[in-house]
Amino acid sequence: MSLPSASSSADSAPTMHFDTDGQWNVTEVQGPAIHAPSWVKNIILDKIRIEFLDISEPNIGFYAKNHIVSAVTFVEPVQFNRRQYVSAHISMELGLWKKVKGINVVSNLMIRPPGEHYHPGVFIVALHNYSTPTHCSVQYHTYALSQGTTVGMLLNAAIKLNMHHFLFLPYTSEGRWKGCGNFMLHFWVVLVCTKVITSNQSKENLNSDLSSDLTLTYLPDGSSTFEHIGRGWWLSWNPIQDNLTPEVVYNKACLMHQSQWCKSLGHQYFCANLYPRKMS
C-alpha cells in the first residue's frame, strides 16, 4: 500500500474527523462505513472471507506484503439503481492526508506530519456484483456467520469500539504503509469473540489459524515468504492480545526516525479480556 510523500506540513493539513469525514458514493455504491445507508446495513449475509491481495510491483522491483481485506457474500442478491449486487468488501484503506488531533500530546515529541509519520485510515464498505474472490486474491480464508448476520452488525462491531479511529504507519522510506493486516486480524477476532463468526477455523484449512497465515506473503505463483505482521495504531481502542493474536506474529521494526516515537507510544498493545468466549 503506497502513496507519495506528503509535501504539506502538519499545520497546513486539514484535521481528520473519523466519525464524520467523507460521504457515501451513490454511483459507486461504496464509502466510509460510518455513512453506509440503512438499506446496505440491512443486507443479510451468508459468509465472510478474509482475502490476501497481491499488490507487489515486480516491474519496479518492489515486493510488498499482501493487502488484507474482508469480503462478505449476501444470502440473496440486492438491487440498486437497476444493478444487482451479491457481495461487499469491508476493509481499512488509506484515507486523505490529514492531521490527527492528540498525536503530539500522546507522543510528547515534535509535530508529526501526516503522510510522513502516519496516515489516517478509512473503514470502507463497497458493494460488488461478483461473489468469487477478487481477481488479485492469492489466498483466502472463509468463515461461517451466525444466522441473520447483517452488514450493519459487522460494521457496528468495529465502530462501537472506535476501531475505525486507525492510523497506518510507514515501513519504508518510499511512502509504503503498514496496518491493514493488523486491523483485519483484530476485526476478525472481535467477530469471533462476539460469536458473529461461528468458528475461528476456516473452511479451507482447519489446522491453520489466521494470525499465523498473516505472517506469510503469498505470491501469484502459489509460493509464499515469511514476514511478520506490520502494526498500525489505534487511537483509543486497546487491541485484544490472546491466543488468537499472539505477540510473536508482529513486526517490532521501526524506521530510524520512528524509533523514539514508537517507544513512546508503546504500540498501544495491552492484555485485555474484553469478551468471554468459547472457541469451537
Side-chain angles (χ1 to χ4, degrees):
M1 181 174 296
S2 64
L3 281 176
S5 296
S7 58
S8 60
S9 68
D11 288 333
S12 62
T15 300
M16 180 72 181
H17 300 283
F18 289 96
D19 293 318
T20 57
D21 279 5
Q23 60 184 357
W24 185 257
N25 188 319
V26 177
T27 303
E28 300 293 332
V29 200
Q30 64 179 17
I34 56 171
H35 296 309
S38 57
W39 70 267
V40 170
K41 291 189 286 188
N42 290 336
I43 296 173
I44 300 174
L45 304 176
D46 174 41
K47 59 189 175 184
I48 185 170
R49 186 170 58 236
I50 307 298
E51 297 190 8
F52 297 59
L53 309 185
D54 176 40
I55 59 170
S56 294
E57 300 174 62
N59 58 313
I60 61 172
F62 183 82
Y63 295 88
K65 276 189 71 63
N66 305 126
H67 181 40
I68 310 300
V69 304
S70 67
V72 291
T73 54
F74 305 161
V75 170
E76 296 181 353
V78 297
Q79 300 283 336
F80 181 76
N81 281 351
R82 294 191 236 178
R83 295 194 64 182
Q84 179 171 278
Y85 298 93
V86 295
S87 70
H89 278 176
I90 300 173
S91 61
M92 180 59 68
E93 305 291 344
L94 291 173
L96 298 175
W97 281 315
K98 292 187 175 184
K99 62 185 176 183
V100 176
K101 290 182 178 180
I103 291 292
N104 299 332
V105 175
V106 173
S107 65
N108 196 29
L109 297 171
M110 61 180 287
I111 292 175
R112 299 296 175 179
E116 293 181 19
H117 296 270
Y118 66 87
H119 199 119
V122 179
F123 190 38
I124 294 287
V125 57
L127 271 63
H128 296 290
N129 59 3
Y130 58 88
S131 59
T132 54
T134 311
H135 67 90
C136 57
S137 177
V138 287
Q139 170 74 332
Y140 56 85
H141 289 269
T142 307
Y143 302 91
L145 296 170
S146 60
Q147 187 173 6
T149 296
T150 64
V151 170
M153 290 170 64
L154 300 190
L155 303 183
N156 291 338
I159 292 172
K160 71 181 181 182
L161 296 174
N162 285 333
M163 289 182 71
H164 61 302
H165 296 196
F166 184 81
L167 302 180
F168 288 90
L169 299 178
Y171 70 97
T172 75
S173 58
E174 291 82 22
R176 308 285 174 163
W177 301 91
K178 60 184 177 182
C180 61
N182 190 191
F183 178 89
M184 198 52 61
L185 174 60
H186 282 280
F187 179 50
W188 172 82
V189 167
V190 167
L191 297 179
V192 171
C193 290
T194 53
K195 303 186 185 303
V196 174
I197 290 178
T198 58
S199 172
N200 64 307
Q201 297 177 322
S202 73
K203 294 182 179 180
E204 289 77 21
N205 191 341
L206 298 178
N207 300 315
S208 175
D209 59 90
L210 185 59
S211 64
S212 295
D213 221 26
L214 286 171
T215 63
L216 299 176
T217 297
Y218 289 91
L219 304 175
D221 63 6
S223 62
S224 62
T225 60
F226 180 84
E227 180 72 29
H228 285 99
I229 301 170
R231 297 182 190 272
W233 178 28
W234 281 276
L235 291 169
S236 59
W237 181 67
N238 292 333
I240 299 168
Q241 187 180 56
D242 63 4
N243 62 308
L244 293 182
T245 57
E247 183 68 14
V248 294
V249 302
Y250 292 105
N251 192 335
K252 294 179 173 59
C254 289
L255 294 180
M256 187 67 69
H257 68 264
Q258 283 181 285
S259 58
Q260 190 178 10
W261 189 41
C262 287
K263 184 182 292 186
S264 70
L265 295 177
H267 294 298
Q268 291 200 344
Y269 269 68
F270 306 97
C271 294
N273 296 317
L274 299 184
Y275 304 100
R277 72 172 113 185
K278 287 183 180 179
M279 304 311 302
S280 56

